[in-house]
Amino acid sequence: MSFPIALPCNTLFESDADAIVVVTHDIQNLGSAQLDEVAAPFLAVDARIAQKASLLVSDKVPGKRLVIAPTGSLDRDYDDVRRYFEAAKAGILEAKAAGAVKPVLAVVNVPADDRYENARAVSFLGACQGLWQPLEAREYRGEAIEPIEAIYVFEASAQCCDQLSAIAAGQYAARDLCGTEPERMAPPRFADYCVELFQGSAVSVEVIADRKIMDEQYPLLSTVARASYAVERHHPRVVKMAYEPEGDVERTLIFVGKGLVYDTGGADLKVGGFMAGMSRDKGGAASVVGFMEAVAKYQPKGVKVIAYLAVVRNSIGSDCFVPDEIIESREGVRVRIGNTDAEGRLAMGDLLSEAKDLALGEKNPEIFTVATLTGHAARAMGPYSAYVENGPARAAQVSRKIADMGDLWADCAEVSRSRREDYDFVKPRTLADDVLSSNNAPSAVTARGHQFPMAFLAIVGGLDKHGCNAELPIPYVHMDIAGSGVEGGDWQHGKPTAATVASLFARYCI
């Protein structure tokens, strides 16, 4: 796996570079009198340079390539650091198209505004987002389709570059896992990718493949996988990862990721073209792996990280599960199936129960589920992640702190509350069961469609017994990235964004 690493440099005219990409809101001031002189005759005749990333050719710059990438306005109330992310993305693609392989990225004239304190770092990550190509494309066409292996980051410290390279590595892995087609990244191959990724690293990996163990320990996940057992290459996997820092542990983060490598909807089959893009329904697990990879690269002190991934295919077939079935979970909760297309919460539920049990013995635990869970999150929040938190998480402002960090790292989110209506929505209708998994309407047209699934997860995970009034409260945040997981909300063709990786890393590792 190759991805652009960040290299520090203190000069725009780095001898080993072959292009300069300047990201700025003021194209008349490029951070250097020499660059201003180079640009002046072009600016005098081409108004487009103020509107879009443009390549200027000059013997006076490395590689004869100068790219000006304008951010546009930065001073309005609704402007944010994504202006830099998008400008750098456009600029690096111009440099790549011109043949550059080792450009300098210069972010200049940054306003003295807290919103833009990470403009340089965010610009590098935007460039990496633009450069990534799908795993299948690299395997088919060769690594040459990603020619840029390093980016000099002007006026960045070595420590900053180490942090950026770690985040970039994590986001790269998350995009690979989320964006790869369902056979290339079927559950066993998803697990293989994880094993290979962390081989020799600070992160340990365990893979569970035995069906007997699945049936006994993870009955909800095994129910989702039932129809997939007819095809060996589609058999489910549980992937467990752990990072133990050197020295004392101050905080423990425990993640459960939804890894639906393909979601047909099961018996509640997705029709009318809505199945296309469902190979990206593993985006939650992919982002968890991405965060673990960033942690493995940077090895932060004080924070222990554990992750459980439910990697499964929701197939249609003679043995598929159906609505009205009642399944007893690991926690001993009897779950009535309301809709087989609400499978992600089932796949994660037993792993969440195990995560809760583990948290009881950990230092300052915080639990997260990360999933491309509901169309409602995308409808309600647009391109933003939706964080739904329990009482202890709200009291500790867990989501707020991550979301505030995301605003500074172009990894934005909205915070939602869990309320009594959410628990009422999934309450049992008979004495035969304890909880209803979902209603039978699309989440996008269901009131509180991205909030009530968190209540279900809290119940089947046993976290409803660890609220603010419990002897041991456990902060729990459900992160729904259905709206933020791919560019433009295009689940079939949009590039994966690796949502949550940057904000989690910035919040807990820097």
Side-chain angles (χ1 to χ4, degrees):
M1 184 176 75
S2 175
F3 58 91
I5 61 171
L7 299 175
C9 76
N10 294 315
T11 174
L12 287 168
F13 300 89
E14 179 70 41
S15 60
D16 195 30
D18 57 9
I20 300 175
V21 179
V22 179
V23 181
T24 181
H25 71 282
D26 181 4
I27 63 172
Q28 302 294 334
N29 185 351
L30 303 181
S32 159
Q34 188 171 341
L35 290 186
D36 290 341
E37 181 182 344
V38 168
F42 295 93
L43 295 175
V45 299
D46 193 347
R48 294 174 299 176
I49 297 173
Q51 306 299 321
K52 65 183 187 69
S54 303
L55 172 69
L56 314 183
V57 179
S58 171
D59 291 332
K60 298 181 180 179
V61 297
K64 301 182 180 182
R65 304 176 181 100
L66 171 62
V67 176
I68 300 177
T71 64
S73 175
L74 297 173
D75 60 357
R76 297 167 298 192
D77 291 349
Y78 55 85
D79 291 317
D80 60 53
V81 77
R82 287 175 296 173
R83 301 285 187 200
Y84 282 95
F85 187 96
E86 292 154 3
K89 179 181 173 183
I92 203 72
L93 291 177
E94 281 293 315
K96 175 187 172 184
V101 298
K102 213 168 189 181
V104 171
L105 177 64
V107 182
V108 301
N109 301 316
V110 179
D113 185 318
D114 290 346
R115 287 178 291 177
Y116 306 117
E117 64 183 59
N118 297 312
R120 183 179 295 111
V122 166
S123 295
F124 173 79
L125 297 178
C128 292
Q129 174 74 17
L131 292 171
W132 176 83
Q133 294 296 323
L135 175 63
E136 307 102 302
R138 302 197 310 270
E139 291 176 340
Y140 176 59
R141 300 181 184 277
E143 298 289 340
I145 65 172
E146 290 182 336
I148 296 179
E149 296 182 0
I151 298 173
Y152 287 106
V153 185
F154 179 55
E155 295 185 331
S157 67
Q159 182 181 25
C160 175
C161 287
D162 288 344
Q163 293 167 353
L164 291 178
S165 293
I167 297 171
Q171 291 179 328
Y172 197 92
R175 294 186 200 107
D176 272 3
L177 289 167
C178 177
T180 302
E181 60 94 9
E183 289 297 334
R184 173 60 185 87
M185 206 56 77
R189 302 186 75 180
F190 187 110
D192 291 344
Y193 184 103
C194 294
V195 170
E196 183 177 344
L197 180 68
F198 293 110
Q199 190 169 13
S201 78
V203 170
S204 62
V205 180
E206 176 191 0
V207 178
I208 298 174
D210 187 271
R211 180 172 182 177
K212 183 179 180 182
I213 295 176
M214 298 279 189
D215 289 343
E216 292 177 353
Q217 298 187 21
Y218 313 112
L220 295 177
L221 184 153
S222 198
T223 295
V224 174
R226 212 161 67 196
S228 74
Y229 282 118
V231 181
E232 185 174 356
R233 68 180 187 275
H234 294 167
H235 285 192
R237 296 290 187 268
V238 169
V239 180
K240 298 183 177 182
M241 301 174 289
Y243 166 76
E244 186 90 34
E246 294 184 2
D248 295 337
V249 173
E250 300 170 7
R251 184 196 312 271
T252 304
L253 308 178
I254 307 175
F255 293 87
V256 177
K258 174 187 172 183
L260 263 292
V261 301
Y262 205 78
D263 179 20
T264 68
D268 286 300
L269 192 67
K270 293 180 184 288
V271 297
F274 288 101
M275 200 185 300
M278 285 300 101
S279 60
R280 271 84 179 285
D281 208 14
K282 55 191 182 304
S287 285
V288 172
V289 174
F291 177 61
M292 293 297 293
E293 169 69 347
V295 167
K297 294 293 187 186
Y298 194 63
Q299 298 187 34
K301 305 291 186 183
V303 59
K304 180 178 181 179
V305 189
I306 297 165
Y308 298 155
L309 310 179
V311 189
V312 61
R313 178 172 172 130
N314 187 19
S315 297
I316 184 72
S318 58
D319 198 29
C320 67
F321 74 115
V322 296
D324 302 336
E325 285 191 45
I326 297 175
I327 313 296
E328 186 168 330
S329 73
R330 177 186 188 275
E331 194 70 19
V333 175
R334 289 173 62 79
V335 177
R336 183 181 291 275
I337 306 301
N339 188 323
T340 66
D341 198 17
E343 81 301 323
R345 66 203 69 174
L346 300 174
M348 292 188 294
D350 292 323
L351 289 172
L352 186 58
S353 167
E354 185 173 350
K356 175 263 300 174
D357 289 348
L358 178 68
L360 298 177
E362 297 293 337
K363 181 75 173 289
N364 294 327
E366 296 175 9
I367 297 179
F368 303 86
T369 45
V370 189
T372 53
L373 204 75
T374 65
H376 189 274
R379 177 64 62 87
M381 304 304 188
Y384 301 94
S385 299
Y387 300 164
V388 191
E389 55 189 2
N390 72 351
R394 184 166 181 260
Q397 295 189 307
V398 175
S399 294
R400 183 73 271 153
K401 290 175 182 177
I402 299 171
D404 287 348
M405 196 62 72
D407 285 343
L408 302 177
W409 284 83
D411 190 13
C412 304
E414 302 284 1
V415 178
S416 294
R417 289 182 61 180
S418 178
R419 295 187 181 271
R420 66 183 189 180
E421 287 85 357
D422 303 325
Y423 286 85
D424 288 343
F425 195 90
V426 297
K427 69 182 180 182
R429 277 36 168 198
T430 76
L431 295 177
D433 51 280
D434 301 313
V435 67
L436 179 67
S437 69
S438 70
N439 59 332
N440 58 5
S443 71
V445 298
T446 299
R448 302 187 63 79
H450 77 269
Q451 289 101 330
F452 85 79
M454 180 272 188
F456 171 83
L457 283 163
I459 292 168
V460 298
L463 283 161
D464 59 330
K465 301 176 182 64
H466 292 275
C468 291
N469 63 344
E471 182 178 345
L472 182 59
I474 300 177
Y476 165 51
V477 177
H478 171 56
M479 304 173 124
D480 192 333
I481 62 171
S484 60
V486 295
E487 291 181 346
D490 183 352
W491 280 95
Q492 188 170 12
H493 303 297
K495 272 190 181 182
T497 62
T500 75
V501 173
S503 55
L504 285 168
F505 187 88
R507 168 70 182 93
Y508 293 109
C509 302
I510 293 179

